Amino acid sequence: MEPQPAIDPRPAIETVFRLEFPRVVAAVTRVVRDVGIAEELAQDALVAALEQWPRDGVPDRPGAWLTAAARHRAVDLVRRRENYARKLREIGRTLEDAPPPQEPPDPDAIDDDLLRLVFTTCHPVLSPEARTALTLRLLGGLTTAEIARAHLVPEPTVAQRVVRAKRTLATRNIAFEVPYGPDREARLGSVLDVIYLIFNEGYAATAGDDWLRPALCEDALRLARQLAALMPKEPEVHGLVSLLEFQAARTAARTAPDGTPVLLKDQNRRRWNRMLIGRGITALDRAGATSTGAPGPYALQAAIAACHAHALTYEDTDWTAIATLYALLAARAPSPVVELNRAVAVSMADGPGPALEIVDTLAAGSALSDYHLLPSVRGDLLLRLGRTAEARAEFERAAALARNERERQLLLARAATCGA
């Protein structure tokens, strides 16, 4: 029998690193108090893994191994710095001798360091754009290209924001902590936004071969639940938790066994997680109970998700209510993406004609010129109007813009159907 070729372990190592990257950075930031240096030390740990794991085998707890390797390098760095002598005496010896951290015992037992990291990267000394970019880079493990795609801006712009944000946090000596009182409230909006964006990247990956990245969804949901326990009187925190619970409930039904995306209308709703839907309903009730005014953007999005969750079949969906909620959301938090989603709801409530007018208005602008879902939605509307040649062209354009391979294949299949 001929010997089998050795399997290259590097792709698996890099996948493990991407999943564990936020926890490694958070743990190391606690030691060095500098997110930029923490990121570099996390990368050093990856280099060490690429050198040792192919030779010695992947450890049973690779995340703990990476964290320990990066943390030991952090302690060595602290030891070399004279001005960190006191911190070395207080922290260094304990960290150096401590065993690798245990995995969270249950889904809600999230490492507090992640919460500290998200509040640190959302500090008011940074611009809103810089906060979002840095948090997505460190907690979401997103590349600059993925962040740029999510925010519809050039990659060099995102790269500059990340570099400047890390430099600002370092030069201003921003504490690595979860703040209290007014300071916490001042950062809350940014924290909610980045948790939502991290979840979205896991729910529908911007790029790559996989449609879902469940680990990102789990991290975002845990952070949101932890935040709700920390701030029980904030309605938008409960609104975000509700939204993520509802969205997470659909995960099992969103892909076929081969990983192909399954559209909402084709999903087997018996596979939706009823426990998560129940948690979403409870969180939405809490958002309403703690609110003293009009519902916020996350509570409105949760209410939209609740409409889907209550419908036993796609045909039972209350699209009129969803269109109304999207109109309220567009007034409260206007954006081209919200308008595009409103167009989809309008198409189901009032027909494709009125919705196409909304989409054509968006297409005339430049905000969504590179956003693949715009031609995708337009193609669907044109198909329903019987304009198959135009629909095929739109689906092909959407496929050319999509950077996720699974999504690209789905769009090309829809274009082919138009041709048939």
Side-chain angles (χ1 to χ4, degrees):
M1 181 181 295
E2 294 184 3
Q4 295 295 319
I7 298 175
D8 185 359
R10 287 175 295 180
I13 295 171
E14 290 170 1
T15 299
V16 169
F17 177 75
R18 184 161 188 168
L19 294 175
E20 298 294 340
F21 177 73
R23 291 183 179 85
V24 176
V25 172
V28 176
T29 302
R30 178 197 281 267
V31 182
V32 298
R33 306 288 167 168
D34 185 310
V35 294
I37 294 175
E39 185 178 12
E40 293 174 4
L41 293 172
Q43 296 287 350
D44 289 344
L46 172 61
V47 172
L50 288 169
E51 292 174 350
Q52 295 182 40
W53 292 4
R55 182 187 67 238
D56 303 334
V58 177
D60 292 336
R61 295 166 55 235
W65 191 100
L66 288 167
T67 300
R71 197 171 54 180
H72 290 161
R73 283 166 172 74
V75 172
D76 289 340
L77 178 63
V78 171
R79 181 182 290 114
R80 290 195 299 267
R81 294 180 172 184
E82 292 183 359
N83 60 327
Y84 279 134
R86 179 182 60 81
K87 293 182 180 179
L88 177 62
R89 288 194 299 271
E90 296 176 356
I91 303 174
R93 296 189 187 94
T94 301
L95 291 175
E96 190 175 37
D97 297 333
Q102 296 294 320
E103 298 294 335
D106 62 71
D108 292 329
I110 188 168
D111 185 353
D112 287 342
D113 282 343
L114 284 177
L115 203 58
R116 292 189 185 96
L117 183 59
V118 71
F119 270 100
T120 300
T121 54
C122 289
H123 197 281
V125 298
L126 305 177
S127 69
E129 297 80 8
R131 295 175 209 165
T132 302
L134 182 60
T135 309
L136 288 175
R137 174 75 192 98
L138 297 183
L139 273 107
L142 274 64
T143 65
T144 54
E146 291 168 340
I147 300 170
R149 183 75 172 175
H151 290 273
L152 309 175
V153 297
E155 288 183 38
T157 301
V158 171
Q160 291 175 0
R161 288 175 183 172
V162 171
V163 170
R164 291 172 182 168
K166 290 190 287 190
R167 184 185 306 127
T168 299
L169 291 177
T171 56
R172 299 287 290 272
N173 291 321
I174 300 303
F176 181 61
E177 64 181 7
V178 175
Y180 295 90
D183 288 342
R184 181 186 296 171
E185 295 173 5
R187 300 188 214 179
L188 181 59
S190 292
V191 170
L192 295 178
D193 289 346
V194 296
I195 291 175
Y196 179 57
L197 288 170
I198 291 170
F199 182 91
N200 272 352
E201 182 58 30
Y203 193 68
T206 303
D209 296 329
D210 295 323
W211 174 241
L212 298 177
R213 293 170 61 186
L216 284 181
C217 292
E218 291 168 6
D219 276 347
L221 188 49
R222 290 171 187 171
L223 283 169
R225 290 170 179 168
Q226 185 83 355
L227 201 58
L230 195 65
M231 308 179 74
K233 296 182 180 180
E234 289 290 340
E236 273 292 81
V237 175
H238 295 299
L240 177 62
V241 172
S242 175
L243 174 61
L244 301 193
E245 300 279 12
F246 282 131
Q247 299 290 74
R250 303 181 203 165
T251 300
R254 294 187 67 242
T255 55
D258 63 353
T260 303
V262 178
L263 299 177
L264 178 63
K265 65 184 179 64
D266 299 321
Q267 289 176 16
N268 180 356
R269 301 194 174 205
R270 286 176 296 181
R271 299 190 66 197
W272 287 7
N273 188 314
R274 307 314 298 184
M275 182 193 73
L276 292 179
I277 289 174
R279 295 185 67 148
I281 293 171
T282 299
L284 186 57
D285 289 342
R286 288 173 181 160
T290 54
S291 178
T292 56
Y298 288 116
L300 286 170
Q301 291 179 75
I304 292 169
C307 289
H308 291 294
H310 286 303
L312 297 179
T313 67
Y314 185 75
E315 292 71 24
D316 291 336
T317 306
D318 189 347
W319 288 106
T320 300
I322 291 176
T324 301
L325 288 167
Y326 267 121
L328 293 173
L329 180 61
R332 184 68 186 270
S335 83
V337 174
V338 170
E339 275 296 286
L340 185 61
N341 288 331
R342 185 173 75 85
V344 173
V346 168
S347 77
M348 300 304 297
D350 303 323
L356 187 59
E357 295 178 9
I358 300 172
V359 173
D360 284 345
T361 301
L362 292 171
S366 60
L368 300 181
S369 59
D370 294 328
Y371 190 52
H372 69 286
L373 291 182
L374 177 62
S376 174
V377 170
R378 192 167 189 273
D380 183 70
L381 298 175
L382 291 169
L383 183 61
R384 290 167 59 188
L385 288 168
R387 296 158 62 177
T388 55
E390 295 172 83
R392 180 174 63 251
E394 289 296 298
F395 286 131
E396 290 173 346
R397 189 163 76 89
L401 290 171
R403 296 179 65 179
N404 183 280
E405 185 58 30
R406 295 287 187 179
E407 200 166 13
R408 181 183 295 114
Q409 293 301 321
L410 176 65
L411 290 166
L412 289 174
R414 298 204 70 190
T417 301
C418 293

